[in-house]
Amino acid sequence: MSKLWAERLTAIGMIVVALFFLTQSVGMPESSGTFPKFTEFVIMLLAVVMIVRSFMTHDKRFEGNVHFDFSYIAMKPFYVMIVACLYGYAVFEVGFYVSSIVFYFLVTYMTGIRAYKVMGAVAVVLFLLLYLFFTIALDAELPEGFLL
């Protein structure tokens, strides 16, 4: 597939997703529905600009075909997004603090950080500050699962 067709298909996909989210924001009250509607219209406008540009460009960067790489390094952002979605689910099932600690160490390991002492020190400071700020200072009710 050529790079120009890849850009066009990406833009069409952006329009479809924006239309879906636009339909989801139709029933919202005006005060809370204005921003999502505005954002989706801007996304659709930019996608149309991408499509028009793909027909008018003579840029050398768009010559040739798209090369797909399915190695771990190339797919790492996708894997991190999957873990982030699982984290969002785990926050309510397992609990905020436990799932956050597991998520922190898993994502830092997945991204290639291997300074274990630094990771541990950052985790201690980060989660201590999270606890002090949300639980003590704000008295926020964070999701509690079966662990915490």
Side-chain angles (χ1 to χ4, degrees):
M1 171 186 330
S2 73
K3 290 180 182 177
L4 290 173
W5 271 107
E7 180 152 335
R8 291 175 194 141
L9 289 175
T10 301
I12 291 169
M14 289 170 56
I15 291 171
V16 168
V17 170
L19 283 171
F20 171 75
F21 282 110
L22 188 63
T23 61
Q24 300 302 306
S25 66
V26 168
M28 297 175 83
E30 276 306 310
S31 59
S32 60
T34 305
F35 181 71
K37 290 175 187 171
F38 171 76
T39 304
E40 300 313 323
F41 280 119
V42 169
I43 289 171
M44 287 188 283
L45 176 69
L46 292 175
V48 168
V49 169
M50 284 174 62
I51 292 171
V52 169
R53 183 185 71 170
S54 73
F55 284 106
M56 298 176 61
T57 188
H58 300 292
D59 195 345
K60 300 268 186 201
R61 291 179 298 165
F62 290 108
E63 291 179 358
N65 291 329
V66 175
H67 300 286
F68 294 101
D69 182 11
F70 294 105
S71 67
Y72 176 74
I73 299 296
M75 296 295 291
K76 194 184 303 185
F78 178 72
Y79 296 144
V80 170
M81 286 189 292
I82 289 174
V83 169
C85 291
L86 293 173
Y87 166 70
Y89 177 75
V91 163
F92 296 103
E93 296 298 321
V94 179
F96 175 76
Y97 291 112
V98 174
S99 59
S100 295
I101 290 169
V102 170
F103 177 73
Y104 169 75
F105 283 109
L106 185 60
V107 168
T108 53
Y109 185 79
M110 287 174 69
T111 54
I113 298 172
R114 298 293 189 266
Y116 299 114
K117 290 180 183 177
V118 174
M119 285 171 47
V122 168
V124 168
V125 171
L126 174 69
F127 292 109
L128 179 65
L129 288 175
L130 278 173
Y131 178 76
L132 290 174
F133 185 72
F134 286 113
T135 305
I136 305 297
L138 294 178
D139 196 29
E141 293 185 19
L142 296 172
E144 293 181 4
F146 66 89
L147 288 177
L148 278 179

